[in-house]
Amino acid sequence: MDDDTIITGPLYASRKKVYPQATHGTFRNIKWALLVLTLGVYYLMPFLRWDRGPFLPNQAVLIDMPHRRFYFFFIQIWPQEVYYFTGLLIIAAMTLFLMNAVAGRVWCGYLCWQTVWTDLFYAVERWVEGDRRERMIKDKKGLTFRRVYELGLKHFLWLMIAWWTGGAFVLYFADAPTLVKQLLTFQAPGNAYIWIGILTFTTYMFAGHMREQTCIYICPWPRIQAAMTDEWALNVSYESTRGEPRMSTKKAAAARAKGLPAGDCIDCHQCVAVCPTGVDIRDGSQLGCIQCGLCIDACDIVMKEIGRPPRLIAYDTDINIARRPQGLPPIYKPIRARTMIYPAMIAAVGGLMVWKLATRSDLGVDVLHDRNPMSIPMSDGGVRNGYTIRLLNKQANDRHVRLSVSGAPGLQLKIVDAPSPTEATVPPDSTLELRVMVVAPADEVPQASTNVTFTAQDENGKATATAKDHFFPNG
């Protein structure tokens, strides 16, 4: 920039309030269905029951922080099994990438939490204040007694939704009916009230006030997906070759009668009016477009009214947008490298997790060798090594477990300060830490460090767990 250049005016555009208009049609119905489904699952899931037997919680989905467990219906995840969460994160990421490869930001338009809750808040706003035109007129007129009442009612309902959103979240961390009773009688833990307050505030601000600003300025996904998409992905697009030049219905009819070009777009701005981010899709692909398809529904209604074919705005690919001016027919390529790789990765990770769940044992053992000293010589010439062994019992009943060691001849195992030298009782759904000594007799002390295997077996022999470590002849 030259030194003589003078900048006048603001360096940024101030926010222009968006007043989305209600519409109906295929994509609006899909959004309503997904809104009811996703919010229904979120709000009601903590109250579902699942009988796991005595001594275990009967909440279907529970994150039990005090006991460090995650329960999901018949699945129980322990802290040692954090790799399942890693697998779920990989599957979630690959699913998001697959959705992007198929239809751009379709996640943003239909399933993102910001979209779902903002849709719900918009529905409340329309119910209290009216549709787009009414809200715009009321905002221009300023405050009246009725306007204050409407605003107060709207924000009260928003806060109630936000409050229940925060409340539903904490119910996943404790028995839901019990915690609800404690919350209502002000006997719940302080952390519950703190997190409900935080989530109430964030939901109210993001869904009620920040709205499209979250999608445009805060969320990183629009920038990421723009770099990941390709020319074959379906995106909401305006068919300019058919829509241009824009003119009224009468002018278009007159132009067609004279053999002059006339577009189907009558410049009614309905596509802009219904957009939750205020985007004019006729200007092409934009960062603010969340691919929700509401502009398609709005445009189809107008096309039906003026007797023109639907889908002037539709899901289309960049390839077809470039082919139409050349008079070439549209082509689609749903099966390509990325739409095959992502499902393959989802299937591979999902299959591995299912296999691991199906074959995992409900008995576990971990071994930690003493570090100082590594070994202790005995008066009779033998050598002793010390270990800390942790037994894991995933069943809902007491479990009698027998310990043994193998890997070198003559090794003798003894549990320190226990009634039995080789047996222990592990409480239900818990771990038991034991001090164990392994002794090599004088005539059978290994000449070098030797791999040994500790085996834990329950009393009926149905479950066995092993762990490997080393036996050191000298420390």
Side-chain angles (χ1 to χ4, degrees):
M1 183 181 295
D2 297 335
D3 294 337
D4 296 335
T5 302
I6 299 176
I7 301 175
T8 59
L11 296 178
Y12 63 92
S14 59
R15 180 189 178 189
K16 187 176 180 180
K17 188 173 181 179
V18 178
Y19 295 86
Q21 180 175 296
T23 188
H24 62 273
T26 302
F27 299 102
R28 178 64 269 183
N29 292 337
I30 293 173
K31 283 174 67 65
W32 282 130
L34 290 174
L35 183 148
V36 172
L37 176 63
T38 53
L39 292 185
V41 169
Y42 176 76
Y43 289 127
L44 299 178
M45 184 72 78
F47 296 97
L48 290 180
R49 303 291 96 182
W50 188 270
D51 185 12
R52 298 185 178 90
F55 311 114
L56 291 176
N58 64 349
Q59 186 163 308
V61 181
L62 176 66
I63 303 171
D64 189 355
M65 298 297 287
H67 299 95
R68 294 181 293 178
R69 306 283 188 281
F70 172 67
Y71 299 96
F72 185 80
F73 293 92
F74 63 91
I75 299 173
Q76 180 183 170
I77 304 298
W78 287 59
Q80 297 90 334
E81 299 171 324
V82 68
Y83 45 80
Y84 286 115
F85 294 102
T86 304
L88 288 175
L89 289 174
I90 294 173
I91 290 175
M94 293 301 107
T95 302
L96 190 60
F97 298 161
L98 176 61
M99 295 173 74
N100 176 66
V102 173
R105 290 177 65 185
V106 66
W107 160 265
C108 301
Y110 295 90
L111 291 169
C112 173
W113 66 267
Q114 175 68 14
T115 295
V116 172
W117 265 281
T118 301
D119 251 5
L120 180 60
F121 275 46
Y122 272 137
V124 171
E125 186 173 61
R126 294 190 190 101
W127 179 71
V128 174
E129 300 183 32
D131 209 351
R132 170 185 166 87
R133 186 178 296 275
E134 295 175 78
R135 299 200 306 275
M136 293 175 71
I137 293 173
K138 289 175 180 178
D139 279 352
K140 288 181 180 179
K141 286 185 176 179
L143 294 178
T144 62
F145 179 79
R146 178 166 181 79
R147 183 62 175 152
V148 171
Y149 166 76
E150 289 180 345
L151 290 172
L153 177 60
K154 178 183 74 173
H155 287 280
F156 171 76
L157 294 175
W158 280 359
L159 283 169
M160 289 299 98
I161 295 171
W163 170 76
W164 187 241
T165 299
F169 180 80
V170 301
L171 296 182
Y172 285 92
F173 293 83
D175 183 67
T178 303
L179 184 55
V180 167
K181 183 178 179 181
Q182 291 176 339
L183 289 169
L184 294 176
T185 57
F186 300 100
Q187 296 177 345
N191 284 339
Y193 293 105
I194 292 172
W195 278 106
I196 290 175
I198 292 173
L199 292 169
T200 297
F201 174 76
T202 53
T203 303
Y204 173 73
M205 289 302 297
F206 280 113
H209 293 278
M210 300 178 70
R211 297 180 171 181
E212 78 283 351
Q213 303 296 298
T214 302
C215 303
I216 297 173
Y217 297 112
I218 298 177
C219 180
W221 180 237
R223 284 87 178 166
I224 297 172
Q225 75 88 29
M228 295 183 61
T229 193
D230 62 13
E231 67 274 16
W232 295 104
L234 291 167
N235 291 289
V236 175
S237 307
Y238 167 66
E239 191 176 333
S240 58
T241 54
R242 176 187 151 193
E244 303 295 327
R246 306 171 196 173
M247 59 185 71
S248 67
T249 306
K250 290 183 179 180
K251 290 182 178 180
R256 292 188 186 101
K258 296 178 182 179
L260 298 175
D264 285 349
C265 179
I266 60 173
D267 209 17
C268 63
H269 286 270
Q270 285 300 295
C271 56
V272 182
V274 301
C275 181
T277 61
V279 164
D280 189 342
I281 194 63
R282 297 171 299 176
D283 293 338
S285 180
Q286 298 163 65
L287 185 68
C289 179
I290 61 172
Q291 309 290 334
C292 64
L294 295 182
C295 55
I296 301 176
D297 287 337
C299 188
D300 282 354
I301 293 172
V302 175
M303 291 298 105
K304 183 178 180 180
E305 290 176 353
I306 65 175
R308 302 301 297 171
R311 295 298 191 265
L312 175 60
I313 300 174
Y315 279 98
D316 207 352
T317 67
D318 290 345
I319 289 289
N320 290 331
I321 292 173
R323 287 170 63 88
R324 283 198 180 88
Q326 306 171 37
L328 300 174
I331 57 175
Y332 299 94
K333 193 177 178 182
I335 306 301
R336 54 193 193 276
R338 64 180 63 198
T339 61
M340 296 295 289
I341 293 173
Y342 295 146
M345 294 182 68
I346 293 171
V349 176
L352 181 61
M353 291 173 63
V354 170
W355 173 79
K356 188 67 177 177
L357 279 170
T359 58
R360 71 174 180 171
S361 173
D362 56 7
L363 178 66
V365 59
D366 290 315
V367 179
L368 180 65
H369 198 290
D370 289 352
R371 295 302 177 191
N372 189 20
M374 301 291 286
S375 64
I376 299 175
M378 302 176 68
S379 57
D380 61 359
V383 175
R384 185 180 71 194
N385 280 202
Y387 304 85
T388 298
I389 292 182
R390 184 181 294 273
L391 298 175
L392 172 64
N393 176 20
K394 297 179 183 179
Q395 290 188 354
N397 51 269
D398 287 339
R399 208 158 186 189
H400 301 290
V401 178
R402 180 187 299 275
L403 280 176
S404 60
V405 63
S406 60
L411 293 181
Q412 302 170 4
L413 179 146
K414 183 179 185 303
I415 303 174
V416 179
D417 298 329
S420 171
T422 59
E423 295 183 358
T425 300
V426 188
D429 192 41
S430 60
T431 61
L432 177 66
E433 189 173 283
L434 302 171
R435 285 285 296 137
V436 172
M437 297 298 174
V438 175
V439 177
D443 55 346
E444 294 182 322
V445 174
Q447 297 300 311
S449 173
T450 303
N451 293 329
V452 293
T453 300
F454 291 86
T455 301
Q457 187 176 48
D458 63 4
E459 57 186 346
N460 54 25
K462 291 183 178 180
T464 301
T466 60
K468 295 184 180 297
D469 209 290
H470 298 85
F471 185 89
F472 297 96
N474 53 69

